[in-house]
PDB file of all heavy atoms in Angstrom:
ATOM      1  N   ALA X 171      18.303 -35.187  19.889  1.00 98.00           N
ATOM      2  CA  ALA X 171      17.982 -36.665  19.513  1.00 98.00           C
ATOM      3  C   ALA X 171      16.660 -37.007  19.849  1.00 98.00           C
ATOM      4  O   ALA X 171      16.157 -37.955  19.211  1.00 98.00           O
ATOM      5  CB  ALA X 171      19.107 -37.485  20.232  1.00 98.00           C
ATOM      6  N   ALA X 172      16.091 -36.441  20.867  1.00 97.00           N
ATOM      7  CA  ALA X 172      14.672 -36.839  21.215  1.00 97.00           C
ATOM      8  C   ALA X 172      13.654 -35.969  20.606  1.00 97.00           C
ATOM      9  O   ALA X 172      12.354 -36.118  20.941  1.00 97.00           O
ATOM     10  CB  ALA X 172      14.479 -36.938  22.771  1.00 97.00           C
ATOM     11  N   ASP X 173      13.951 -34.854  19.872  1.00 98.00           N
ATOM     12  CA  ASP X 173      13.032 -33.912  19.346  1.00 98.00           C
ATOM     13  C   ASP X 173      12.201 -34.463  18.306  1.00 98.00           C
ATOM     14  O   ASP X 173      12.568 -35.156  17.349  1.00 98.00           O
ATOM     15  CB  ASP X 173      13.739 -32.816  18.670  1.00 98.00           C
ATOM     16  CG  ASP X 173      12.762 -31.743  18.219  1.00 98.00           C
ATOM     17  OD1 ASP X 173      12.304 -30.884  19.311  1.00 98.00           O
ATOM     18  OD2 ASP X 173      12.478 -31.668  17.070  1.00 98.00           O
ATOM     19  N   PRO X 174      10.793 -34.424  18.533  1.00 97.00           N
ATOM     20  CA  PRO X 174       9.840 -35.060  17.670  1.00 97.00           C
ATOM     21  C   PRO X 174       9.894 -34.531  16.269  1.00 97.00           C
ATOM     22  O   PRO X 174       9.480 -35.196  15.266  1.00 97.00           O
ATOM     23  CB  PRO X 174       8.450 -34.813  18.324  1.00 97.00           C
ATOM     24  CG  PRO X 174       8.633 -33.787  19.329  1.00 97.00           C
ATOM     25  CD  PRO X 174      10.166 -33.714  19.824  1.00 97.00           C
ATOM     26  N   VAL X 175      10.167 -33.200  16.074  1.00 97.00           N
ATOM     27  CA  VAL X 175      10.231 -32.565  14.797  1.00 97.00           C
ATOM     28  C   VAL X 175      11.391 -33.023  13.975  1.00 97.00           C
ATOM     29  O   VAL X 175      11.325 -33.426  12.944  1.00 97.00           O
ATOM     30  CB  VAL X 175       9.996 -31.070  14.833  1.00 97.00           C
ATOM     31  CG1 VAL X 175      10.391 -30.427  13.456  1.00 97.00           C
ATOM     32  CG2 VAL X 175       8.722 -30.671  15.340  1.00 97.00           C
ATOM     33  N   LEU X 176      12.578 -32.983  14.596  1.00 98.00           N
ATOM     34  CA  LEU X 176      13.828 -33.394  13.994  1.00 98.00           C
ATOM     35  C   LEU X 176      13.775 -34.867  13.575  1.00 98.00           C
ATOM     36  O   LEU X 176      14.209 -35.412  12.422  1.00 98.00           O
ATOM     37  CB  LEU X 176      15.047 -33.184  14.958  1.00 98.00           C
ATOM     38  CG  LEU X 176      15.545 -31.781  15.059  1.00 98.00           C
ATOM     39  CD1 LEU X 176      16.661 -31.839  16.142  1.00 98.00           C
ATOM     40  CD2 LEU X 176      16.039 -31.333  13.741  1.00 98.00           C
ATOM     41  N   ASN X 177      12.990 -35.679  14.432  1.00 97.00           N
ATOM     42  CA  ASN X 177      12.981 -37.087  14.159  1.00 97.00           C
ATOM     43  C   ASN X 177      11.848 -37.463  12.994  1.00 97.00           C
ATOM     44  O   ASN X 177      11.803 -38.534  12.556  1.00 97.00           O
ATOM     45  CB  ASN X 177      12.480 -37.888  15.463  1.00 97.00           C
ATOM     46  CG  ASN X 177      13.716 -38.189  16.207  1.00 97.00           C
ATOM     47  OD1 ASN X 177      14.677 -38.909  15.885  1.00 97.00           O
ATOM     48  ND2 ASN X 177      13.884 -37.494  17.503  1.00 97.00           N
ATOM     49  N   LEU X 178      11.124 -36.426  12.729  1.00 96.00           N
ATOM     50  CA  LEU X 178      10.115 -36.525  11.590  1.00 96.00           C
ATOM     51  C   LEU X 178      10.849 -36.567  10.225  1.00 96.00           C
ATOM     52  O   LEU X 178      10.305 -36.925   9.152  1.00 96.00           O
ATOM     53  CB  LEU X 178       9.150 -35.454  11.714  1.00 96.00           C
ATOM     54  CG  LEU X 178       7.871 -35.405  10.898  1.00 96.00           C
ATOM     55  CD1 LEU X 178       6.870 -36.558  11.454  1.00 96.00           C
ATOM     56  CD2 LEU X 178       7.131 -34.145  11.024  1.00 96.00           C
ATOM     57  N   ILE X 179      12.070 -36.009  10.309  1.00 98.00           N
ATOM     58  CA  ILE X 179      12.844 -35.877   9.008  1.00 98.00           C
ATOM     59  C   ILE X 179      13.506 -37.281   8.718  1.00 98.00           C
ATOM     60  O   ILE X 179      14.409 -37.583   9.395  1.00 98.00           O
ATOM     61  CB  ILE X 179      13.868 -34.758   9.096  1.00 98.00           C
ATOM     62  CG1 ILE X 179      13.120 -33.479   9.508  1.00 98.00           C
ATOM     63  CG2 ILE X 179      14.700 -34.646   7.810  1.00 98.00           C
ATOM     64  CD1 ILE X 179      14.123 -32.427   9.851  1.00 98.00           C
ATOM     65  N   GLU X 180      12.960 -38.010   7.818  1.00 97.00           N
ATOM     66  CA  GLU X 180      13.459 -39.325   7.705  1.00 97.00           C
ATOM     67  C   GLU X 180      14.948 -39.441   7.217  1.00 97.00           C
ATOM     68  O   GLU X 180      15.578 -40.428   7.357  1.00 97.00           O
ATOM     69  CB  GLU X 180      12.492 -40.131   6.730  1.00 97.00           C
ATOM     70  CG  GLU X 180      12.481 -39.638   5.394  1.00 97.00           C
ATOM     71  CD  GLU X 180      11.537 -40.496   4.345  1.00 97.00           C
ATOM     72  OE1 GLU X 180      11.905 -41.730   4.039  1.00 97.00           O
ATOM     73  OE2 GLU X 180      10.557 -40.051   4.042  1.00 97.00           O
ATOM     74  N   TRP X 181      15.360 -38.455   6.467  1.00 98.00           N
ATOM     75  CA  TRP X 181      16.718 -38.333   5.981  1.00 98.00           C
ATOM     76  C   TRP X 181      17.588 -37.746   7.039  1.00 98.00           C
ATOM     77  O   TRP X 181      17.697 -36.655   7.248  1.00 98.00           O
ATOM     78  CB  TRP X 181      16.853 -37.521   4.707  1.00 98.00           C
ATOM     79  CG  TRP X 181      15.848 -37.975   3.708  1.00 98.00           C
ATOM     80  CD1 TRP X 181      16.002 -38.926   2.722  1.00 98.00           C
ATOM     81  CD2 TRP X 181      14.503 -37.366   3.414  1.00 98.00           C
ATOM     82  NE1 TRP X 181      14.837 -39.001   1.909  1.00 98.00           N
ATOM     83  CE2 TRP X 181      13.950 -38.118   2.390  1.00 98.00           C
ATOM     84  CE3 TRP X 181      13.753 -36.307   3.987  1.00 98.00           C
ATOM     85  CZ2 TRP X 181      12.672 -37.797   1.771  1.00 98.00           C
ATOM     86  CZ3 TRP X 181      12.506 -36.106   3.484  1.00 98.00           C
ATOM     87  CH2 TRP X 181      11.971 -36.703   2.396  1.00 98.00           C
ATOM     88  N   GLU X 182      18.243 -38.659   7.877  1.00 97.00           N
ATOM     89  CA  GLU X 182      18.962 -38.335   9.002  1.00 97.00           C
ATOM     90  C   GLU X 182      20.055 -37.340   8.626  1.00 97.00           C
ATOM     91  O   GLU X 182      20.390 -36.389   9.392  1.00 97.00           O
ATOM     92  CB  GLU X 182      19.569 -39.503   9.627  1.00 97.00           C
ATOM     93  CG  GLU X 182      18.481 -40.324  10.419  1.00 97.00           C
ATOM     94  CD  GLU X 182      18.958 -41.455  11.141  1.00 97.00           C
ATOM     95  OE1 GLU X 182      20.038 -41.429  11.686  1.00 97.00           O
ATOM     96  OE2 GLU X 182      18.216 -42.558  11.226  1.00 97.00           O
ATOM     97  N   ASN X 183      20.601 -37.414   7.451  1.00 98.00           N
ATOM     98  CA  ASN X 183      21.678 -36.486   7.029  1.00 98.00           C
ATOM     99  C   ASN X 183      21.209 -35.154   6.752  1.00 98.00           C
ATOM    100  O   ASN X 183      22.028 -34.288   6.499  1.00 98.00           O
ATOM    101  CB  ASN X 183      22.516 -37.131   5.841  1.00 98.00           C
ATOM    102  CG  ASN X 183      21.606 -37.118   4.525  1.00 98.00           C
ATOM    103  OD1 ASN X 183      20.244 -37.256   4.678  1.00 98.00           O
ATOM    104  ND2 ASN X 183      22.227 -37.342   3.401  1.00 98.00           N
ATOM    105  N   ARG X 184      19.935 -34.815   6.773  1.00 98.00           N
ATOM    106  CA  ARG X 184      19.339 -33.547   6.570  1.00 98.00           C
ATOM    107  C   ARG X 184      19.237 -32.875   7.928  1.00 98.00           C
ATOM    108  O   ARG X 184      18.952 -31.620   7.867  1.00 98.00           O
ATOM    109  CB  ARG X 184      18.053 -33.447   5.706  1.00 98.00           C
ATOM    110  CG  ARG X 184      18.227 -34.068   4.375  1.00 98.00           C
ATOM    111  CD  ARG X 184      17.006 -33.642   3.602  1.00 98.00           C
ATOM    112  NE  ARG X 184      16.852 -32.296   3.203  1.00 98.00           N
ATOM    113  CZ  ARG X 184      15.870 -31.563   2.923  1.00 98.00           C
ATOM    114  NH1 ARG X 184      14.684 -32.200   2.906  1.00 98.00           N
ATOM    115  NH2 ARG X 184      15.971 -30.223   2.715  1.00 98.00           N
ATOM    116  N   ARG X 185      19.031 -33.661   8.952  1.00 98.00           N
ATOM    117  CA  ARG X 185      18.700 -32.907  10.375  1.00 98.00           C
ATOM    118  C   ARG X 185      19.736 -31.910  10.631  1.00 98.00           C
ATOM    119  O   ARG X 185      19.429 -30.873  11.154  1.00 98.00           O
ATOM    120  CB  ARG X 185      18.605 -34.126  11.412  1.00 98.00           C
ATOM    121  CG  ARG X 185      17.464 -34.914  11.022  1.00 98.00           C
ATOM    122  CD  ARG X 185      17.274 -36.043  12.099  1.00 98.00           C
ATOM    123  NE  ARG X 185      16.415 -37.020  11.715  1.00 98.00           N
ATOM    124  CZ  ARG X 185      16.105 -38.196  12.297  1.00 98.00           C
ATOM    125  NH1 ARG X 185      17.062 -38.703  13.239  1.00 98.00           N
ATOM    126  NH2 ARG X 185      15.398 -39.137  11.743  1.00 98.00           N
ATOM    127  N   PRO X 186      21.143 -32.262  10.453  1.00 98.00           N
ATOM    128  CA  PRO X 186      22.104 -31.235  10.869  1.00 98.00           C
ATOM    129  C   PRO X 186      21.950 -29.857  10.184  1.00 98.00           C
ATOM    130  O   PRO X 186      22.433 -28.831  10.633  1.00 98.00           O
ATOM    131  CB  PRO X 186      23.415 -31.826  10.489  1.00 98.00           C
ATOM    132  CG  PRO X 186      23.111 -33.293  10.396  1.00 98.00           C
ATOM    133  CD  PRO X 186      21.726 -33.475   9.882  1.00 98.00           C
ATOM    134  N   THR X 187      21.249 -29.799   9.093  1.00 98.00           N
ATOM    135  CA  THR X 187      21.032 -28.387   8.444  1.00 98.00           C
ATOM    136  C   THR X 187      20.229 -27.519   9.379  1.00 98.00           C
ATOM    137  O   THR X 187      20.122 -26.242   9.110  1.00 98.00           O
ATOM    138  CB  THR X 187      20.235 -28.582   7.006  1.00 98.00           C
ATOM    139  OG1 THR X 187      18.938 -28.971   7.333  1.00 98.00           O
ATOM    140  CG2 THR X 187      21.040 -29.489   6.116  1.00 98.00           C
ATOM    141  N   LEU X 188      19.500 -27.999  10.385  1.00 98.00           N
ATOM    142  CA  LEU X 188      18.788 -27.164  11.303  1.00 98.00           C
ATOM    143  C   LEU X 188      19.506 -26.884  12.573  1.00 98.00           C
ATOM    144  O   LEU X 188      18.920 -26.234  13.612  1.00 98.00           O
ATOM    145  CB  LEU X 188      17.424 -27.975  11.741  1.00 98.00           C
ATOM    146  CG  LEU X 188      16.570 -28.269  10.383  1.00 98.00           C
ATOM    147  CD1 LEU X 188      15.164 -28.881  10.730  1.00 98.00           C
ATOM    148  CD2 LEU X 188      16.269 -27.080   9.596  1.00 98.00           C
ATOM    149  N   VAL X 189      20.709 -27.341  12.750  1.00 98.00           N
ATOM    150  CA  VAL X 189      21.423 -27.222  13.885  1.00 98.00           C
ATOM    151  C   VAL X 189      22.472 -26.103  13.841  1.00 98.00           C
ATOM    152  O   VAL X 189      23.513 -26.248  13.063  1.00 98.00           O
ATOM    153  CB  VAL X 189      22.069 -28.609  14.375  1.00 98.00           C
ATOM    154  CG1 VAL X 189      22.727 -28.491  15.721  1.00 98.00           C
ATOM    155  CG2 VAL X 189      20.985 -29.731  14.498  1.00 98.00           C
ATOM    156  N   ALA X 190      22.308 -25.025  14.716  1.00 98.00           N
ATOM    157  CA  ALA X 190      23.302 -24.001  14.720  1.00 98.00           C
ATOM    158  C   ALA X 190      24.622 -24.423  15.501  1.00 98.00           C
ATOM    159  O   ALA X 190      24.468 -25.212  16.484  1.00 98.00           O
ATOM    160  CB  ALA X 190      22.694 -22.711  15.401  1.00 98.00           C
ATOM    161  N   LYS X 191      25.653 -23.867  15.126  1.00 98.00           N
ATOM    162  CA  LYS X 191      26.944 -24.270  15.768  1.00 98.00           C
ATOM    163  C   LYS X 191      27.482 -23.112  16.724  1.00 98.00           C
ATOM    164  O   LYS X 191      27.584 -22.082  16.342  1.00 98.00           O
ATOM    165  CB  LYS X 191      28.107 -24.619  14.769  1.00 98.00           C
ATOM    166  CG  LYS X 191      27.804 -25.682  13.874  1.00 98.00           C
ATOM    167  CD  LYS X 191      28.860 -26.186  12.842  1.00 98.00           C
ATOM    168  CE  LYS X 191      28.488 -27.423  12.134  1.00 98.00           C
ATOM    169  NZ  LYS X 191      27.115 -27.392  11.550  1.00 98.00           N
TER     170      LYS X 191
END
Side-chain angles (χ1 to χ4, degrees):
Chain X
D173 181 80
V175 169
L176 286 173
N177 279 293
L178 194 64
I179 304 166
E180 64 175 291
W181 306 277
E182 290 181 34
N183 62 341
R184 299 197 68 200
R185 295 177 192 167
T187 68
L188 301 185
V189 181
K191 291 184 176 55

